[in-house]
Amino acid sequence: MGRTPCCERKGLKKGPWGPEEDEILINYINKHGHGSWRSLPKLAGLRRCGKSCRLRWTNYLRPDIKRGPFTLDEEKLVIQLHAILGNRWAAIASQLPGRTDNEIKNLWNTHLKKRLLCMGVDPLTHEPVTSGGPTTRPRSSPATRHMAQWESARLEAEARLSKGSLFFNSPPTSVKPDPDFFLRLWNSEVGESFRKLNGEAKTDCRSPISQASSSTKCGSVSGVTVDVGPIAAGSSTPKSSRTEDPIMFDASFSSCSNESEDSSDTALQLLLDFPINNDMSFLEDVDTYATPLQC
DNA sequence: AAGATGCACAACCGCATTGTG
DNA sequence: ACACAATGCGGTTGTGCATCT
């Protein structure tokens, strides 16, 4: 089907935004809200396409944007979330108040990816690089090993979810895992405890859920109400309704087959236990890993 | 001092998804 | 159910600045 372009190409300005354009856009949105992005440029008197306006607003002009370098905690969070969510930058960004998907994507591509490579971890798979990789640390360093365990847990959980989706009365064609599953998990009580990298969590890394469910199998998250409402105050952009409804894992989640229980239970255990002692000290070792040249 | 190179970040492009009539 | 518009998202590119040779 012939897809109409998002805007007429003729006469529309491209490239970097000027301060006066920014001002026009800010003033207009402050007065009227963005409404329809497509009609906004015309109404505001900008020679830009709506898409460009939306991008400029969401990535740069929004008042709740946090500018400046990422903190260590933010970087840790990005890495952990990336291990869970992969390149789903918008989902990752929704967990970091004031940060945009674009910003996080850039951070990953320019800093974190290289840093992981330097420590011998494949940034795509979060597994240790086995051969030929630029490794300066022993590959068996705790951080590396844990990364691998973590990724292993992720893959196992994903596989289980694929199986599990068959039990969700899904049509046979939609065996694809719910893409927001891990985000929901992250936003759940499980994720909450998981996020507590510092403070009291250090005394006992295992989450309350983990402790409470240590004797349960596979369905340890059954009945956990997962509130996936935006945690980040800064995520002003309304996400699609897919992630806004509270999810209750019903019993069907725990109805996976017995043979998958062992591995998936291990996976879940790893999920709940990572990161033991918050072992991402490599991030703090800025002097050692700041630049690829030092690998 | 000047050109080459690398890096960081903003912006664009095109596909996917969602909403609506 | 379908077509199409609108929007969201992730990959990629362009640009300006800093550093190197």
Side-chain angles (χ1 to χ4, degrees), chain A residues 46 91 223 273:
Chain A
L46 285 164
D273 287 348

Side-chain angles (χ1 to χ4, degrees), chain A residues 160-230:
Chain A
R160 189 184 67 181
L161 190 69
S162 293
K163 279 188 183 179
S165 67
L166 296 173
F167 297 96
F168 287 132
N169 300 321
S170 305
T173 52
S174 64
V175 291
K176 198 174 108 183
D178 176 355
D180 285 322
F181 171 77
F182 291 105
L183 183 57
R184 291 194 192 105
L185 191 58
W186 182 260
N187 281 332
S188 70
E189 292 174 50
V190 175
E192 176 59 32
S193 64
F194 183 73
R195 281 193 299 278
K196 285 182 180 169
L197 303 178
N198 303 309
E200 73 280 0
K202 278 185 175 172
T203 59
D204 183 357
C205 287
R206 299 182 62 184
S207 70
I209 300 287
S210 174
Q211 291 173 315
S213 64
S214 58
S215 62
T216 61
K217 285 280 187 184
C218 191
S220 55
V221 288
S222 292
V224 173
T225 302
V226 182
D227 182 4
V228 292

Side-chain angles (χ1 to χ4, degrees), chain A residues 9 18 22 37 41 54 63 87 107 169 175 185 198 216 229 265 295:
Chain A
R9 304 266 185 249
D22 284 345
W37 285 112
R54 180 176 59 83
N87 291 2
L107 171 77
N169 300 321
V175 291
L185 191 58
N198 303 309
T216 61
D265 199 46
C295 288

Side-chain angles (χ1 to χ4, degrees), chain A residues 110-186:
Chain A
T110 57
H111 294 277
L112 300 183
K113 207 157 86 173
K114 289 170 191 169
R115 222 177 292 172
L116 286 176
L117 277 171
C118 283
M119 60 167 286
V121 174
D122 186 337
L124 285 176
T125 63
H126 290 255
E127 285 180 12
V129 174
T130 51
S131 63
T135 305
T136 52
R137 275 194 175 178
R139 285 203 304 267
S140 60
S141 74
T144 304
R145 279 202 312 274
H146 226 122
M147 283 290 186
Q149 284 182 328
W150 172 241
E151 177 60 14
S152 163
R154 185 176 75 84
L155 291 173
E156 284 189 36
E158 256 180 10
R160 189 184 67 181
L161 190 69
S162 293
K163 279 188 183 179
S165 67
L166 296 173
F167 297 96
F168 287 132
N169 300 321
S170 305
T173 52
S174 64
V175 291
K176 198 174 108 183
D178 176 355
D180 285 322
F181 171 77
F182 291 105
L183 183 57
R184 291 194 192 105
L185 191 58
W186 182 260

Side-chain angles (χ1 to χ4, degrees), chain A residues 57-71:
Chain A
W57 175 257
T58 56
N59 285 340
Y60 199 82
L61 299 176
R62 248 170 43 195
D64 55 342
I65 297 263
K66 188 200 285 182
R67 310 216 66 84
F70 279 72
T71 66

Side-chain angles (χ1 to χ4, degrees), chain A residues 23 29 37 44 126 194-195 245 252 262 281:
Chain A
E23 201 180 330
I29 291 179
W37 285 112
H126 290 255
F194 183 73
R195 281 193 299 278
D245 298 327
S252 62
D262 287 340
S281 54

Side-chain angles (χ1 to χ4, degrees), chain A residues 96-115:
Chain A
L96 284 110
R99 299 297 189 183
T100 69
D101 54 352
N102 211 29
E103 217 176 351
I104 291 168
K105 189 165 56 182
N106 284 332
L107 171 77
W108 182 263
N109 287 330
T110 57
H111 294 277
L112 300 183
K113 207 157 86 173
K114 289 170 191 169
R115 222 177 292 172

